[in-house]
Amino acid sequence: MKLIAVALLTAMLLLLLPDSRAQSPGARRAKAARPQTLPVDTLKKLEGQGNNPLPLRRVILYSNGVAYFERRGTVTGRAEINLSFKQSQVDDVLKSMVVLDLGRGRIGAVSYNSSAPPDARLNEIPFSIEAGTDGDAAGGIAGVLKQLQGAKVIVTAANRSATGAIITVAERKSQIDANKPAVVSHQLVIASESGELQSFDLSEVRSVKLLDEGAKHDLTEFASASASARRRDAKTITVTSDGEGSREMVVSYTIAAPIWKTTYRVVLDPEGKPFFQGWAIVDNVSEEDWTNVQLSLVSGTPISFIQPIQQPLYRYRPVVPIPEDLNLTPQVYEPANGHSGNAGGGEGRDGSGGVAGGVGMGSGRGTGGSYGGAPPPPPSGPVTTLSDAITSGESGVETAATGSQVGDLFEYRIDQPVTVRRDRSALIPILQTRMDGERVSIYREAAREDRPMSGLLLKNTSPLTFESGALTVIDGDAYAGEALIERLKPGEERFISFAVDLGTLVSVRSPETNKKTDRKTAFMVRVVNGVFQAHYYRTEQKTYTVTNQTDRRRTVYIEHPLREGWALSASTQKPASRTDNHLRFRLELGPHATVEFPVVETQALMDSYALSNLTSRDIEVFAANNYIDAATRAELGKLIDLKARIAATDTRLAAVSREAEEIAKDQQRLRENIDKLKSTAEAKQLIARYVAKADQQETRIEQIAGEKKAADAERTKLQAELDAAIRAFALDRRLE
């Protein structure tokens, strides 16, 4: 491209030479036939005009919303490369830019216009001009000159000119027509060095030249700040390198970019074998064309973030009042996992995966007509369907990408240079291959009540990783439906459903409707840590009735919910695969066949009894349910006897405790009565009687204390025997 540009510019210079017009056509042709030469410096200058010295050579798009750009080019001597970016891209560029000089050059500073915000710059300029017209004193030339009071200028009008300092800009209103608003005019008044005052009508002034350097500087700064405020989304980064001779220079960086997207087409042959074709959609929303760039598409999600580092950050010293410091806030489907091979799941979307329509399992080769006229005549020659074309190898589409693993990521490298104009998008073929798969129907009760979905059990036999995307299915030569596919690694299998299967009917009888929830007898009894455990199963049965309503064979997969704590019984067919949430059962149905498929699940439950709380009634229940044999029953009987003796001891203790309480109350009554009696003969007899009774009670209290002590000792001994017997009790028995 550079050589072509040089040749065109050279030809233009030759045509514009002064003597070219005076020569005859023959002479000009003869002269043009001779080789023309230009100085080397001129050629280099012409070659550099209109060309970026570091053109874009490589673009890598990631599925996490960033893009890697690489620029390469030849530079000579001291190189100064200016790169323009949007304001929102600069933070990413500053933290990711890599600059290399592959010759003998030395990379210098990478600079950018890190000035104060435009609003702050405008506030520092000693005047402010709003956009307006010449008739508007606030925004026109009158407003500018009025704020330059005292500046030395040269004023040129239609018939005279003068030099002097601006004194003022006077406003004059003239009422010409009472029915119309007044006409406003402005008069510029200047004073010469000799003291002469002159007035100019601004409508007649052709130019005003500033002679004051300070005013010139202020106007230039105002224009620059105003332009920056208007172009808020523009930033220039300059890369320099010092060296000698011609050498290659590389600059790379990452910026935010639209994610690349994938779409797939699956064409099924008459046997249902899939031919897979993948396309990538890339969007160029940058400010330049991608011309003959090496394009790569990476599947994965590397960590990426934005950090605001382009604006200067200040730490302020405390002042009165203390200013508010800067706030520096950092910005920081279901695959198979068991049973048969690596069969996969994870189609998401509750098994629907696409539009509920299409042609189901049929070939889609029906006849049709057009509205308003006779149907078109059949073609004269043989008709080639899409599947026939693919079988013959005449698809006409070549894969444009080579896939490879890059660490934990997967890269599609586009083999040929790609050109994508600015604000345009491109559809690029990245894979085309025949894959393993079969036509199946997938039923999930939560998705539909009576119909399964038509789909494919697709296996990725290629070495490529398929990124998530939309998938369109073509059955023979007709549209069959659409689906969504999640990321598919090499060797993985995945269900793809694209239409409702109107040729298969499924009905479900749940445990609530078929009364198939049962509690089975115990299969094991154990004693663990003084607790008698009786383990048993509860079973539930769900029956799927599948009917093939067509004259073709059907392969139907039943997705049965996987419940925690439940397991398949030995009588149930083993699932073809297992996911995190479902068990998948494969059923084969002949034409117009009906199959009843029961799924029986068991849940292990347990009844527990503390040995310390066992009763004779519990032992009778254990014996009746065959949980225990005669020896175990005898051992449990000993525990019951110990518990009975402890209970008897507790009864004696309670009785003597009550008797002691009653004696204490009676003695309190006697003492109160003695205090109230007078010293008479009758009182003395009564007091003597009370004292004799109290003496007898004291003797009984001493006996009670002995009995209670003996009962406490006996109870402690019996409780120790019971605790030891419980700890020593062992049972681990499997029941038939």
Side-chain angles (χ1 to χ4, degrees):
M1 295 298 293
K2 292 183 179 180
L3 294 177
I4 294 174
V6 172
L8 290 174
L9 292 171
T10 304
M12 292 176 63
L13 289 174
L14 292 175
L15 291 175
L16 295 176
L17 288 174
D19 60 343
S20 63
R21 298 180 181 178
Q23 294 176 344
S24 64
R28 286 199 298 269
R29 285 194 299 269
K31 187 173 183 179
R34 297 193 300 270
Q36 303 294 323
T37 60
L38 290 174
V40 175
D41 294 341
T42 303
L43 287 174
K44 290 181 178 180
K45 185 180 296 184
L46 291 174
E47 182 179 358
Q49 291 178 354
N51 293 288
N52 191 330
L54 292 182
L56 192 61
R57 297 301 187 194
R58 189 181 182 195
V59 176
I60 304 177
L61 300 178
Y62 291 82
S63 56
N64 71 330
V66 299
Y68 170 87
F69 291 86
E70 183 179 292
R71 297 180 178 273
R72 287 177 177 262
T74 303
V75 298
T76 304
R78 175 177 172 79
E80 189 172 283
I81 311 299
N82 294 319
L83 304 175
S84 180
F85 298 96
K86 295 180 180 179
Q87 185 75 28
S88 58
Q89 298 172 335
V90 176
D91 287 323
D92 282 329
V93 174
L94 293 179
K95 70 179 174 61
S96 64
M97 177 178 282
V98 176
V99 182
L100 299 175
D101 191 319
L102 304 183
R104 296 184 177 180
R106 181 172 59 86
I107 300 298
V110 178
S111 62
Y112 59 96
N113 47 326
S114 178
S115 58
D119 294 341
R121 294 176 58 192
L122 288 172
N123 291 334
E124 294 176 357
I125 299 173
F127 61 88
S128 175
I129 305 299
E130 300 293 336
T133 63
D134 288 344
D136 185 359
I141 189 172
V144 176
L145 296 176
K146 192 172 183 179
Q147 296 187 73
L148 294 176
Q149 191 175 21
K152 192 174 182 181
V153 295
I154 299 177
V155 183
T156 303
N159 53 1
R160 61 191 174 108
S161 64
T163 302
I166 297 176
I167 299 301
T168 186
V169 177
E171 181 180 305
R172 178 183 299 173
K173 295 182 179 180
S174 302
Q175 191 72 39
I176 301 175
D177 189 347
N179 297 324
K180 296 181 179 180
V183 178
V184 179
S185 62
H186 296 87
Q187 300 291 324
L188 172 63
V189 180
I190 65 173
S192 66
E193 293 182 354
S194 62
E196 180 182 3
L197 296 176
Q198 298 188 56
S199 177
F200 292 85
D201 192 333
L202 284 182
S203 63
E204 298 177 355
V205 172
R206 293 181 177 178
S207 68
V208 178
K209 182 178 181 180
L210 295 175
L211 301 179
D212 187 88
E213 294 297 331
K216 290 180 183 180
H217 176 75
D218 289 342
L219 282 179
T220 302
E221 284 295 310
F222 178 80
S224 175
S226 298
S228 297
R230 179 172 55 85
R231 299 190 302 270
R232 291 179 182 273
D233 207 27
K235 201 87 165 182
T236 299
I237 295 180
T238 302
V239 181
T240 60
S241 178
D242 292 322
E244 298 179 356
S246 179
R247 61 197 187 275
E248 186 177 16
M249 192 170 176
V250 180
V251 176
S252 68
Y253 49 86
T254 62
I255 59 176
I259 65 172
W260 64 282
K261 302 170 287 291
T262 52
T263 60
Y264 303 95
R265 296 93 171 107
V266 173
V267 182
L268 303 179
D269 61 15
E271 297 180 357
K273 296 300 182 182
F275 177 83
F276 213 75
Q277 189 178 87
W279 298 74
I281 301 176
V282 298
D283 307 292
N284 179 10
V285 297
S286 66
E287 298 297 325
E288 64 176 313
D289 297 337
W290 297 351
T291 304
N292 295 327
V293 300
Q294 180 64 52
L295 181 64
S296 295
L297 311 173
V298 176
S299 171
T301 309
I303 295 175
S304 182
F305 57 89
I306 299 174
Q307 189 175 46
I309 58 178
Q310 61 174 305
Q311 294 292 345
L313 304 178
Y314 298 91
R315 293 294 186 187
Y316 293 98
R317 293 175 294 173
V319 296
V320 180
I322 299 176
E324 184 176 334
D325 203 357
L326 295 178
N327 185 15
L328 306 181
T329 303
Q331 299 184 22
V332 180
Y333 161 73
E334 189 175 85
N337 52 22
H339 294 284
S340 60
N342 55 1
E347 63 278 9
R349 311 303 187 277
D350 291 331
S352 57
V355 176
V359 296
M361 304 291 286
S363 63
R365 298 188 177 89
T367 60
S370 60
Y371 290 101
S380 57
V383 177
T384 301
T385 65
L386 285 177
S387 60
D388 295 336
I390 291 172
T391 302
S392 63
E394 299 176 353
S395 64
V397 178
E398 294 183 1
T399 303
T402 302
S404 61
Q405 198 77 23
V406 182
D408 292 333
L409 309 177
F410 191 84
E411 177 186 19
Y412 290 95
R413 184 184 295 271
I414 309 304
D415 297 331
Q416 300 297 327
V418 174
T419 297
V420 183
R421 302 302 177 189
R422 57 179 293 187
D423 295 326
R424 304 269 303 176
S425 300
L427 194 64
I428 303 171
I430 56 175
L431 64 94
Q432 180 169 263
T433 182
R434 185 172 296 280
M435 299 177 63
D436 286 348
E438 65 173 331
R439 197 192 308 261
V440 297
S441 298
I442 310 135
Y443 179 79
R444 181 183 294 178
E445 184 182 5
R448 297 189 62 83
E449 293 183 357
D450 57 355
R451 297 288 180 181
M453 300 295 296
S454 286
L456 296 171
L457 178 55
L458 190 67
K459 183 176 182 179
N460 183 4
T461 56
S462 73
L464 306 176
T465 295
F466 298 164
E467 189 65 15
S468 303
L471 181 147
T472 300
V473 179
I474 307 298
D475 192 353
D477 57 356
Y479 168 81
E482 298 173 357
L484 290 174
I485 183 174
E486 293 190 347
R487 183 175 297 166
L488 191 63
K489 292 285 188 178
E492 276 192 312
E493 283 186 346
R494 192 70 51 82
F495 280 132
I496 306 297
S497 58
F498 52 84
V500 177
D501 181 3
L502 300 178
T504 305
L505 182 65
V506 181
S507 63
V508 182
R509 296 199 306 274
S510 62
E512 292 77 12
T513 59
N514 59 16
K515 306 299 182 182
K516 289 295 184 180
T517 301
D518 299 316
R519 169 175 174 159
K520 300 297 183 182
T521 59
F523 62 90
M524 180 178 64
V525 291
R526 302 177 63 190
V527 172
V528 179
N529 296 326
V531 177
F532 185 96
Q533 300 174 351
H535 298 263
Y536 64 95
Y537 286 121
R538 182 177 67 177
T539 65
E540 285 189 3
Q541 176 175 318
K542 180 181 282 191
T543 303
Y544 298 89
T545 303
V546 186
T547 302
N548 180 3
Q549 298 174 317
T550 70
D551 55 1
R552 301 174 57 186
R553 293 189 60 83
R554 281 283 199 271
T555 298
V556 180
Y557 277 86
I558 302 293
E559 286 202 330
H560 181 79
L562 186 60
R563 300 183 293 172
E564 185 177 358
W566 290 82
L568 290 178
S569 68
S571 61
T572 302
Q573 172 184 315
K574 290 185 178 181
S577 62
R578 176 193 297 265
T579 72
D580 291 338
N581 299 307
H582 292 89
L583 299 172
R584 290 175 174 157
F585 298 96
R586 179 186 176 101
L587 304 180
E588 299 286 347
L589 282 80
H592 302 286
T594 298
V595 173
E596 283 197 356
F597 183 73
V599 178
V600 180
E601 295 176 288
T602 61
Q603 183 184 33
L605 299 175
M606 179 186 69
D607 290 338
S608 60
Y609 308 84
L611 294 181
S612 58
N613 297 328
L614 278 183
T615 65
S616 299
R617 176 60 182 168
D618 293 332
I619 296 177
E620 295 298 330
V621 172
F622 295 166
N625 290 329
N626 197 29
Y627 291 172
I628 56 177
D629 55 13
T632 305
R633 182 173 183 175
E635 291 295 325
L636 292 176
K638 294 179 180 179
L639 299 180
I640 298 299
D641 291 342
L642 285 172
K643 288 184 59 181
R645 292 170 63 186
I646 293 174
T649 304
D650 290 338
T651 301
R652 292 203 313 272
L653 281 171
V656 296
S657 296
R658 286 194 302 269
E659 184 180 357
E661 292 176 359
E662 292 173 356
I663 293 175
K665 292 179 181 179
D666 191 47
Q667 287 187 339
Q668 179 66 25
R669 179 182 61 82
L670 293 176
R671 284 193 294 270
E672 292 175 355
N673 290 337
I674 292 174
D675 292 338
K676 295 178 181 180
L677 291 175
K678 296 180 180 180
S679 50
T680 61
E682 294 80 2
K684 292 181 179 179
Q685 294 177 359
L686 189 57
I687 291 172
R689 181 181 175 185
Y690 288 164
V691 170
K693 186 176 181 179
D695 183 60
Q696 295 174 0
Q697 288 178 337
E698 287 297 327
T699 303
R700 180 55 186 161
I701 289 175
E702 293 176 357
Q703 293 174 351
I704 289 175
E707 292 176 4
K708 188 175 181 179
K709 182 177 180 181
D712 284 335
E714 183 179 1
R715 191 190 188 288
T716 301
K717 178 183 177 183
L718 292 174
Q719 187 64 50
E721 292 180 6
L722 178 61
D723 293 341
I726 290 176
R727 289 194 302 268
F729 197 98
L731 180 63
D732 191 347
R733 181 187 182 196
R734 287 209 165 260
L735 307 178
E736 295 296 334

